[in-house]
Amino acid sequence: MAKAYGVERDDYETLFLGNSRVDIGLDPRSDAIPPQFRPAYNLGQPGSGSELALRYFEHALSTSSPTTVVLGVDFLNFLRAPGLQSSEDGDGSGDSGTDSSVYNRLSSVDDGSGWDWNRTSQRANDICAAALSLSALQDSLLTVLAQGNSNAADISTQGFNSGAAFRTLIHNEGQAALFRQKNEEYAKKCADRVAPPLEQSDELTAIEDLLSLATSRNIRILVFIHPYHADVLRIFETSGHWGDFEEWKVELSEICDRPGVQLWDFASFNPYSTETPPAAGDKKTVMKWYWESGHYRQALGDQMFVRMLNQDAASQGDRGEWGTAITPTNIQQQLNLQRKARADYQPSKGVGRRSSAKRDMPVEN
């Protein structure tokens, strides 16, 4: 609800679209975003796939005239049978994709100037729920009480979820526990799901429709594959989905092979994705680049901005070649390089070994 109405407050130059990895990883206020891409708004929707991203994009176009769209695409959204509702974990359980109230809040490119009863009624209900209900009163009191809590969950006026609530989980359980829990979830998803035929994938169809809409309006679009932690990449391999993962990348390179579209691949074994979680029982140290294996931190999102928006490889420092613009011409070469990196990767002995002090960050910071 906050994002559906929040994006209407301004005419944004750049929109970020995708699931919770975008929601919690890309900060529109980042200093890494060049001035020509500002102001920006984060429309990332937790528990969703590209179908809902397309609907939010259409909605944003009713009030904004963006020049750039940054779209995060997720292999886990692709792993579902045709016709199954999308969610970022590929199980069809995302409330964001199934709740009719979500769609009732959104404008459509086909609406024109006509009056829509469902949208008007939904907005009236939202106003009452946000201003006149007992729930709103309780939430308002809790918000006031949380002002001194640096770990309280929050969302910026430009749609960014800071991920501060992760700090409470880390303080209570430690980051190693979060990694184990998330890895178990991804392993189960990958074991249960099968890749659909490429031509029957609703996820790929939605991506193609979104690109067509953007290019029809001369909007530049940067599509990127998320920088999964190495743990997730190894789950793709051990679950037998590495071949599907590569085929999905090849298909994306074909879909994105059009004027005004660029595809970036950040899903590889590299010094970012192989960052080692803190030791089991360590409840103070927070990794620099990741919250857990499925969600990267703003610091890594900033590095992605540098690569995609500034395209200045020199600023990568000692991180080497990270983030590659892929096309049908170079995709096989990149897949070969990633296979070699996968074969060369030597993981630490399970989750729990402490990462180097240079990459650690205290919880209280």
Side-chain angles (χ1 to χ4, degrees):
M1 184 174 72
K3 293 196 177 187
Y5 300 139
V7 74
E8 296 177 339
R9 296 188 186 122
D10 202 348
D11 186 4
Y12 292 97
E13 229 15 76
T14 303
L15 299 174
F16 305 152
L17 297 169
N19 57 23
S20 65
R21 307 185 211 290
V22 170
D23 174 59
I24 211 166
L26 302 184
D27 188 352
R29 303 163 299 180
S30 170
D31 292 337
I33 300 175
Q36 65 267 32
F37 295 99
R38 301 170 184 270
Y41 195 90
N42 187 324
L43 271 172
Q45 300 295 325
S48 69
S50 294
E51 293 101 320
L52 191 58
L54 172 60
R55 288 292 290 110
Y56 270 88
F57 180 41
E58 292 178 341
H59 172 68
L61 290 177
S62 67
T63 56
S64 285
S65 302
T67 59
T68 304
V69 165
V70 179
L71 171 66
V73 294
D74 198 331
F75 177 64
L76 290 166
N77 280 335
F78 168 72
L79 288 181
R80 56 189 169 99
L84 185 66
Q85 183 64 49
S86 174
S87 81
E88 66 194 74
D89 289 332
D91 63 356
S93 64
D95 291 339
S96 297
T98 58
D99 188 350
S100 62
S101 64
V102 172
Y103 291 94
N104 287 340
R105 296 184 182 106
L106 305 179
S107 303
S108 169
V109 291
D110 299 322
D111 281 350
S113 58
W115 178 67
D116 187 291
W117 163 252
N118 288 333
R119 190 160 63 252
T120 301
S121 175
Q122 184 63 55
R123 294 194 174 211
N125 288 337
D126 288 342
I127 290 172
C128 291
L132 303 176
S133 67
L134 289 176
S135 295
L137 176 60
Q138 178 181 348
D139 290 342
S140 297
L141 292 173
L142 291 174
T143 300
V144 172
L145 293 174
Q147 292 307 297
N149 181 4
S150 60
N151 294 337
D154 66 332
I155 183 172
S156 75
T157 56
Q158 290 173 254
F160 176 62
N161 178 351
S162 69
F166 272 113
R167 296 186 183 278
T168 299
L169 294 173
I170 292 170
H171 177 76
N172 293 336
E173 303 179 38
Q175 205 160 9
L178 293 184
F179 261 75
R180 282 195 300 271
Q181 178 186 12
K182 206 64 179 178
N183 289 349
E184 289 171 1
E185 290 179 12
Y186 288 139
K188 185 178 187 304
K189 302 299 182 187
C190 287
D192 293 344
R193 308 303 299 169
V194 295
L198 294 173
E199 67 277 6
Q200 297 180 28
S201 169
D202 297 324
E203 176 73 13
L204 289 174
T205 298
I207 292 171
E208 193 160 14
D209 289 345
L210 197 155
L211 299 185
S212 297
L213 176 58
T215 54
S216 71
R217 298 191 175 216
N218 296 317
I219 299 172
R220 177 192 183 198
I221 184 159
L222 302 173
V223 182
F224 71 92
I225 301 171
H226 293 288
Y228 306 105
H229 189 272
D231 284 5
V232 176
L233 296 177
R234 294 187 72 228
I235 289 171
F236 292 166
E237 178 184 11
T238 57
S239 64
H241 283 301
W242 190 265
D244 299 323
F245 188 41
E246 290 189 342
E247 289 182 7
W248 176 72
K249 287 186 178 183
V250 171
E251 185 68 14
L252 282 175
S253 73
E254 297 285 350
I255 291 174
C256 295
D257 187 26
R258 63 181 78 191
V261 179
Q262 195 170 37
L263 174 62
W264 287 87
D265 185 5
F266 294 99
S268 63
F269 292 90
N270 56 71
Y272 291 111
S273 67
T274 57
E275 181 183 19
T276 307
D282 182 349
K283 299 180 181 180
K284 294 184 177 180
T285 303
V286 182
M287 295 168 67
K288 182 174 183 179
W289 306 117
Y290 290 88
W291 290 115
E292 28 85 339
S293 58
H295 293 85
Y296 46 93
R297 299 188 60 185
Q298 177 194 341
L300 191 52
D302 287 351
Q303 296 302 312
M304 293 162 61
F305 287 143
V306 169
R307 197 77 177 102
M308 292 189 292
L309 303 182
N310 292 305
Q311 299 189 17
D312 179 10
S315 64
Q316 296 179 84
D318 62 355
R319 294 292 158 183
E321 185 63 25
W322 179 76
T324 304
I326 56 176
T327 67
T329 303
N330 71 353
I331 180 64
Q332 289 301 328
Q333 177 186 6
Q334 294 305 317
L335 293 179
N336 290 336
L337 290 173
Q338 291 176 19
R339 288 171 195 159
K340 183 179 185 305
R342 182 190 65 180
D344 292 342
Y345 174 56
Q346 297 293 329
S348 60
K349 296 178 180 178
V351 171
R353 291 184 62 183
R354 187 185 179 96
S355 52
S356 65
K358 291 182 179 179
R359 290 182 294 178
D360 292 344
M361 184 174 293
V363 166
E364 57 270 22
N365 286 352

